[in-house]
Amino acid sequence: MRKEAYDVVIVGAGIVGAACADALAERGLRVVVVDYGVVGSGATAAGMGHIVVMDDSDAQFALTNYSQRLWRELRPELPEDVEYEQSGTIWVAADAEEMAEVFRKRDYYQRRGVSVEVLDANQLKEAEPNLRDGMMGGLLVPGDAVLYPPCAARFLIRRAQQRGAKVKLGATVTEISEKGIRASDGQEIAADIVVNAAGANAAELTPGIEIKKRKGHLVITDRYPGFLRHQLVELGYLKSAHSVTSDSVAFNVQPRQTGQILIGSSRQYGAEHKKVDQGILAKMIRRAQEYMPALGSMSAVRVWTGFRAATPDKLPLIGPFPGKKSLFLATGHEGLGITTSLGTAKILAAQVTGAKPEIPVEPYLPSRLAQEYARV
Ligand SMILES: Cc1cc2nc3c(=O)[nH]c(=O)nc-3n(C[C@H](O)[C@H](O)[C@H](O)COP(=O)(O)OP(=O)(O)OC[C@H]3O[C@@H](n4cnc5c(N)ncnc54)[C@H](O)[C@@H]3O)c2cc1C
């Protein structure tokens, strides 16, 4: 049996594992990434690629805002196939209650230095002529961007490799130990540190971490250049995305560089199968048409599903696993892992090397859920 030795072995070559490999290799560590699929083939291939600042909590804001800045800094290096485009987000308000949320959100973002603009009904219509009449207005966040996640993951892995990292694909990790990992082909990889970045499967390798699979559907249309200019998200999305129990759909559309429109999205717990749920899909399309009626006459070219890794408090798990010195987690990013991959990687690399992270990390430490672990 062959045995190889590294400083760090990362389980998972999704965008989070890829970003971690890049950040750790940059610090001169000997890194290997192991995945049973290809690079960026898990939730990363399913994700929408909205690089978005969010404010469900101060901790979520801090990580998304920090990560978005890192994406902006990385932009000059990103190859064309990553399709990074700063198209901005408009949070669409359909009624007076949602318009009140526009003003709350504006105040929150402005106090923290994020540039935003309130749009009234006319300005919204001018910005997005294909929205239906009768909307109350919206909040434009011009700094938000979109990108194509699998190519972003490939770029990060390539850069990690240029920095000396190794990548092993087609190998299923069956066990994480104090000394490294074991793969299904019997191969062992020794490392001082193991990073579990296995996304929605992370709990299978580290029993006790509370991650639930939250299924999502997306649809992509044929090419309709100019139809949509910004990522549009209904403010009602907040009501549904906040729910930690029920199934939900919300209007969320994204312009792609190809002229295609990516239509989302749904959230379901307890749906472990990848197959498309026609009922949820119909609901999602109906919701999209309520906001943009002309979507009803467009052709869809593909529908797919993916699984978000959801934690009980909707924040990721980044850092040492309590009681296991050599194990670090980088998972639980739910619907924000494309955005927060870069911030996660910087934080993790600082933790591993004993450097000071650029933002406070306490809200993301796995130890915050230590009581949960104690129960298993
Ligand atoms: C429908 C949908 C829309 C989304 N939209 C957005 C968005 O607009 N913006 C945003 O920021 N985020 C979005 N997300 C969330 C984002 O896609 C995820 O948070 C992110 O991709 C997580 O990346 P990851 O690397 O942690 O996980 P993954 O991409 O799932 O990577 C985990 C990897 O681990 C590998 N693996 C697992 N178990 C093993 C094992 N035992 N052995 C070897 N390899 C293993 C898998 O093959 C996989 O490649 C969306 C998600 C979904 C489902």
Side-chain angles (χ1 to χ4, degrees), residues 12 14-16 35-36 43-44 47-50 171 173 334-339:
I15 198 157
V16 172
D35 199 300
Y36 56 60
T44 299
M48 230 179 172
H50 188 199
V173 175
E334 221 269 7
L336 287 170
I338 309 300
T339 304

Side-chain angles (χ1 to χ4, degrees), residues 249 276-289:
V249 298
V276 171
D277 176 330
Q278 297 297 336
I280 287 277
L281 182 64
K283 259 178 142 174
M284 205 174 88
I285 300 289
R286 258 200 311 277
R287 189 69 179 163
Q289 279 177 248

Side-chain angles (χ1 to χ4, degrees), residues 11-18 34-52 149 171-174 197-202 204-205 214-218 231 252 254 265-266 304-309 330-340:
V11 185
I15 198 157
V16 172
V34 184
D35 199 300
Y36 56 60
V38 298
V39 174
S41 58
T44 299
M48 230 179 172
H50 188 199
I51 304 300
V52 58
T172 302
V173 175
T174 52
N201 292 341
E204 288 168 20
L205 290 168
R214 205 171 188 194
K215 186 173 177 179
H217 288 68
L218 291 176
Q231 177 110 14
N252 184 352
Q254 178 180 98
S265 59
S266 65
W304 68 92
T305 66
F307 293 97
R308 307 172 182 93
T331 183
H333 296 78
E334 221 269 7
L336 287 170
I338 309 300
T339 304
T340 55

Side-chain angles (χ1 to χ4, degrees), residues 229-303:
R229 301 164 185 170
H230 306 83
Q231 177 110 14
L232 301 182
V233 191
E234 65 160 290
L235 272 164
Y237 162 86
L238 299 170
K239 299 166 199 159
S240 56
H242 281 185
S243 159
V244 288
T245 49
S246 56
D247 295 352
S248 61
V249 298
F251 169 68
N252 184 352
V253 289
Q254 178 180 98
R256 305 292 324 166
Q257 272 185 0
T258 51
Q260 291 172 287
I261 297 153
L262 190 49
I263 305 173
S265 59
S266 65
R267 287 180 141 81
Q268 285 174 282
Y269 283 117
E272 302 264 322
H273 201 287
K274 278 193 90 167
K275 77 172 186 240
V276 171
D277 176 330
Q278 297 297 336
I280 287 277
L281 182 64
K283 259 178 142 174
M284 205 174 88
I285 300 289
R286 258 200 311 277
R287 189 69 179 163
Q289 279 177 248
E290 280 166 27
Y291 280 76
M292 292 193 120
L295 285 174
S297 58
M298 292 185 170
S299 307
V301 295
R302 199 180 146 225
V303 180

